[in-house]
Amino acid sequence: MSYDERSLLDQVNTNARPIFKTYKNSWLPTAMQDPATFHQFLANVSLSLYQIQGQTRSRTVSAQHYAIALRTVNIALSDPARNTADGIIASIVTFVCYCVTQNDLLGYDIHIEGLAKIIRLRGGLQTLDHSPTLRCMVFGVDLGGACRRDSKPTFPPPDRLIKAVQGIFRGNLKLTPNHVPTRSPRPWANAISQDCLLTNAFDDLLKAINHTKIKAARNEDWLEVRFVVFWIDPIVHSLLGQGPDSQPTDGPSVVRETTRIGLILFLSKLRRVGGQLGVSTTFFVTKLRGLASTMAWKILWDTSERLLLWALFIGMLESWGTEDKDWFAETTAMAAHWMGIKSWDATLQGVKQFPWIDGLFEDECERCREKFQGIMDNLDRDVLSP
């Protein structure tokens, strides 16, 4: 094993960042079973290091392992005895992940189409039932690519596994009745009461948040990729590709689409901190700005204002570090001020009436607080000026 390979595996085993925990616990055991998968796994790890540290050497090493993986998998694909084996599935999944991480949507399309073809040739997704990890990897990388452009994923969620995991958790609650959460309020109901897709997504998110509260009450760690795969990713899957074909302009359509994007942004933060690979919200932040800029939601502002403020607030937090951050801070502060809210603390209190997890956006809130409050203060002075 080369020095670079040992260094990458050392990062996998020691780096405390969530994605490296995912590499270690979910990807490494599978990668060790197939040479093409192993080299593409190392390419993915090195690419992640490059994106974090910006060192050119990491990018070079990633490209080298990618080339080795590509040659190796092409040899395996030419062998009729191996071209639909688990190792082939795993290797292509790692190629898909590589493309998603780089936002290479053309490469993603090529690899996901090839993956779908091989799965069909071997008899369908049920042929992966013996390997829950591999089935979930297929689900995760497909979802990651679909999130990059808000398209419908190619593969369905692993519903049998999801129901089993959630069922076990609910079954355990019967043994600990003191941890059963009380029914949560549903403040979004009036704004989107006729939209089953969104109400179901909110209800499923509440179940996931209750899961985190129960785990926290037991002093158990919930923030890991298993939680993302079985509680969060299925909700994201239901929301992707469900927007209108063109930019909505009437009030109800803008409210629904703004809410859908707000949900995806909130869920994406959970996916990222939980260690899911290749998560990016740039596309949805831009899309939310376009919706908010129409201001068509004022038509139904009386029933939807707090829901829309929640979506704008999440967009503001996720826009930090992008060219949209100032626009979101100003627009969110103006929306809150128009509603009669006069401070950051009061705005945050209102936002927390909707789905929220304490500590999840702590860093983003600290970065946005001062600028947001400054805008609020200026708005107050403008109102008082003669």
Side-chain angles (χ1 to χ4, degrees):
M1 187 175 291
S2 70
Y3 170 79
D4 285 327
E5 290 171 353
R6 290 195 302 270
S7 297
L8 290 173
L9 290 177
D10 184 60
Q11 286 286 343
V12 169
N13 286 301
T14 62
N15 197 306
R17 289 177 179 268
I19 59 170
F20 289 96
K21 293 180 180 179
T22 300
Y23 279 135
K24 176 182 178 181
N25 298 326
S26 299
W27 289 75
L28 180 58
T30 300
M32 296 298 292
Q33 300 175 31
D34 176 78
T37 306
F38 178 69
H39 281 288
Q40 189 54 46
F41 167 78
L42 293 179
N44 294 352
V45 173
S46 193
L47 179 62
S48 294
L49 284 172
Y50 170 75
Q51 291 180 334
I52 294 168
Q53 300 171 350
Q55 296 179 359
T56 304
R57 176 61 183 166
S58 294
R59 187 66 185 244
T60 302
V61 171
S62 178
Q64 290 171 346
H65 282 289
Y66 173 82
I68 296 171
L70 194 60
R71 289 196 302 269
T72 307
V73 77
N74 282 334
I75 293 172
L77 284 169
S78 66
D79 182 354
R82 300 165 56 196
N83 60 13
T84 60
D86 284 3
I88 292 293
I89 299 292
S91 62
I92 296 178
V93 164
T94 56
F95 281 114
V96 175
C97 182
Y98 188 75
C99 293
V100 170
T101 303
Q102 295 191 104
N103 199 30
D104 175 11
L105 296 181
L106 178 60
Y108 164 80
D109 286 337
I110 292 171
H111 288 305
I112 207 73
E113 182 179 350
L115 181 61
K117 181 179 180 180
I118 291 172
I119 289 175
R120 285 196 303 271
L121 287 173
R122 61 181 274 159
L125 283 171
Q126 67 271 17
T127 63
L128 297 178
D129 286 349
H130 68 285
S131 179
T133 297
L134 190 55
R135 176 65 180 91
C136 290
M137 289 167 68
V138 170
F139 173 50
V141 298
D142 177 35
L143 191 70
C147 282
R148 291 283 179 157
R149 58 187 175 196
D150 194 13
S151 60
K152 292 183 179 179
T154 300
F155 299 104
D159 290 327
R160 184 181 60 83
L161 289 171
I162 293 167
K163 290 177 181 178
V165 169
Q166 294 189 6
I168 290 172
F169 178 76
R170 286 191 293 268
N172 289 339
L173 290 181
K174 297 177 182 178
L175 303 176
T176 55
N178 291 334
H179 288 136
V180 177
T182 57
R183 182 170 176 80
S184 302
R186 303 170 75 248
W188 55 84
N190 290 335
I192 53 171
S193 58
Q194 302 301 317
D195 194 306
C196 293
L197 172 72
L198 295 177
T199 54
N200 288 342
F202 271 118
D203 289 344
D204 287 344
L205 178 54
L206 279 186
K207 294 174 187 176
I209 292 175
N210 285 333
H211 169 89
T212 69
K213 292 178 179 178
I214 293 167
K215 297 280 278 189
R218 297 173 174 172
N219 292 318
E220 297 175 1
D221 185 21
W222 60 268
L223 195 54
E224 38 85 32
V225 77
R226 181 179 173 86
F227 165 72
V228 173
V229 170
F230 293 117
W231 293 87
I232 300 303
D233 281 352
I235 309 174
V236 177
H237 189 283
S238 72
L239 294 170
L240 287 175
Q242 298 295 330
D245 294 332
S246 58
Q247 180 86 330
T249 54
D250 64 286
S253 296
V254 171
V255 170
R256 286 193 297 269
E257 181 64 355
T258 302
T259 303
R260 186 181 72 92
I261 294 175
L263 274 165
I264 291 174
L265 288 172
F266 184 91
L267 295 164
S268 295
K269 172 64 174 181
L270 280 168
R271 299 182 76 233
R272 187 167 59 248
V273 300
Q276 193 59 286
L277 306 180
V279 178
S280 171
T281 56
T282 303
F283 180 89
F284 291 105
V285 167
T286 302
K287 200 168 189 177
L288 180 59
R289 175 173 178 171
L291 279 167
S293 297
T294 68
M295 297 309 291
W297 58 21
K298 285 188 174 180
I299 298 172
L300 292 183
W301 190 259
D302 55 339
T303 58
S304 309
E305 56 182 19
R306 293 192 176 273
L307 174 59
L308 297 170
L309 179 63
W310 172 81
L312 264 183
F313 194 89
I314 301 300
M316 176 184 68
L317 300 181
E318 281 293 294
S319 70
W320 190 265
T322 74
E323 61 182 17
D324 293 323
K325 66 182 180 67
D326 290 340
W327 183 92
F328 269 99
E330 293 170 3
T331 303
T332 308
M334 289 173 63
H337 191 270
W338 187 87
M339 293 167 57
I341 302 173
K342 304 300 183 182
S343 69
W344 165 270
D345 290 339
T347 304
L348 184 58
Q349 184 179 1
V351 167
K352 286 185 176 182
Q353 295 177 15
F354 292 86
W356 191 263
I357 297 177
D358 287 333
L360 181 64
F361 289 101
E362 185 174 359
D363 292 342
E364 291 88 346
C365 284
E366 284 302 311
R367 288 194 292 261
C368 293
R369 175 194 293 267
E370 183 176 354
K371 183 176 184 62
F372 185 96
Q373 187 60 58
I375 296 170
M376 280 280 197
D377 294 342
N378 287 336
L379 289 169
D380 276 340
R381 284 194 290 269
D382 290 343
V383 169
L384 294 174
S385 297

